[in-house]
Amino acid sequence: MLALIIDDSRAMRMILRRIVTGLGFEAIEAGHGREALDHLERGRVPDVCLIDWNMPVMDGYAFVTEVRSRPEWRHITLMMVTTESEHGQIVKALAAGAHEYVIKPFTPEAITEKLELLGLVRDGALV
Amino acid sequence: MTADIETGAHAVAPETADVLAVTEEVWRSFLGESEPLLPGPPSDRADAVTGAVTVTGGWDGAVTVTFTPEGAAAAACAMLGLDPTDVPSPGDVADAVGELVNMVGGNVKSLMPGPSTLSLPVVAGGRVTPASEDREVVRLDLTWTGHPVTISVHTKGSR
């Protein structure tokens, strides 16, 4: 399974990469939403995206909206991983098509638990 | 709401204990649990590295995290999984400090009235000089791995 990590912080991408590759995912990265869309348009369509909200060029909410407007990408699981923790922002992201929402700071266990809830991981490994 | 000690007026400001709790959670999650944040003396080194985010909307304020250059490099090594003796690039140091202040600032924002917008982090050399109308409402002088760290929250003076 392929995970696309979208965050403008290289440190955060590395932290998330360590978590998801430890679970068995292959991981690719993007520094903002536009770069992530470039991956998808070039055919690197992931099974799951881990998406920061506040990023330059294209933010995470705009990315979710764009992905959900494209029927061929409807199967992609979208998980926000962000410091945005206002109830209104969470509702907005979920209404736009995000499946799960993780608030930074997080633990590896929190990411794993969410991926288990999404049916991608079981007992610490890919399903 | 906290009371202004000097004037008795009330300003919308986070509680110091809440800011400390948020900061400790960020540190534990991303810099490890083996080296806790501890109270420390104030540091005013001119070569400090400061990350800042602003919040605008239901609450207007700014949050800064200030390291010494050595402390900022140690934080970058911890976040990137490098050996503590490695020398991270200036870009990696800025990235790590920016992400730390982003997380502390984002969680401070969640403590305050909303809705609000969090800026992208800015990282620069030196200490932050706030606008004249801003007031420092929370300041935490801490140490981490022996390096001074200062967390500061400024808000518009609402009296």
Side-chain angles (χ1 to χ4, degrees):
Chain A
M1 280 196 198
L2 182 64
L4 172 54
I5 300 163
I6 312 165
D7 197 303
D8 56 330
S9 166
R10 190 170 94 87
M12 187 55 61
R13 294 198 303 270
M14 287 186 66
I15 289 165
L16 288 168
R17 172 185 281 272
R18 281 198 292 266
I19 295 170
V20 298
T21 56
L23 294 168
F25 286 91
E26 180 188 353
I28 55 175
E29 301 178 10
H32 50 72
R34 181 62 254 173
E35 190 181 344
L37 286 176
D38 290 344
H39 278 298
L40 272 61
E41 287 165 354
R42 287 198 300 265
R44 292 282 278 168
V45 180
D47 299 285
V48 60
C49 296
L50 283 67
I51 312 156
D52 188 19
W53 191 302
N54 294 309
M55 296 180 286
V57 185
M58 176 185 276
D59 67 26
Y61 176 74
F63 173 79
V64 169
T65 302
E66 181 66 25
V67 169
R68 284 294 170 254
S69 73
R70 302 275 291 267
E72 69 271 30
W73 294 338
R74 192 164 292 161
H75 65 285
I76 301 173
T77 299
L78 303 177
M79 186 163 96
M80 302 299 293
V81 183
T82 173
T83 59
E84 286 291 350
S85 55
E86 287 180 9
H87 178 71
Q89 298 284 75
I90 296 171
V91 170
K92 185 177 172 183
L94 296 176
H99 294 90
E100 272 294 352
Y101 203 102
V102 177
I103 296 169
K104 298 176 185 175
F106 53 78
T107 61
E109 293 75 21
I111 297 290
T112 301
E113 183 180 315
K114 292 293 187 183
L115 291 170
E116 286 178 348
L117 284 172
L118 291 165
L120 301 171
V121 170
R122 188 184 310 133
D123 298 330
L126 295 180
V127 171
Chain B
M1 300 272 276
T2 58
D4 184 301
I5 295 168
E6 292 178 2
T7 66
H10 287 272
V12 178
E15 298 289 343
T16 299
D18 292 338
V19 177
L20 177 60
V22 160
T23 303
E24 287 177 332
E25 187 177 359
V26 169
W27 250 249
R28 269 197 307 273
S29 297
F30 292 102
L31 300 181
E33 300 196 31
S34 59
E35 294 282 355
L37 277 168
L38 300 169
S43 173
D44 58 357
R45 278 177 52 172
D47 61 350
V49 177
T50 299
V53 290
T54 58
V55 179
T56 53
W59 179 71
D60 292 316
V63 178
T64 63
V65 176
T66 302
F67 287 93
T68 60
E70 298 82 7
C77 286
M79 288 185 75
L80 292 166
L82 303 176
D83 188 275
T85 59
D86 287 343
V87 180
S89 72
D92 283 341
V93 171
D95 180 82
V97 173
E99 188 58 25
L100 289 170
V101 76
N102 178 52
M103 286 187 280
V104 174
N107 282 273
V108 168
K109 175 170 99 72
S110 73
L111 299 170
M112 306 309 296
S116 300
T117 301
L118 183 71
S119 74
L120 292 173
V122 174
V123 179
R127 292 195 156 266
V128 168
T129 303
S132 58
E133 70 270 24
D134 289 355
R135 291 191 307 139
E136 186 176 63
V137 290
V138 174
R139 180 186 171 103
L140 302 172
D141 290 304
L142 307 164
T143 63
W144 175 71
T145 60
H147 302 292
V149 181
T150 303
I151 312 295
S152 184
V153 180
H154 287 81
T155 188
K156 303 291 181 192
S158 58
R159 297 171 190 247

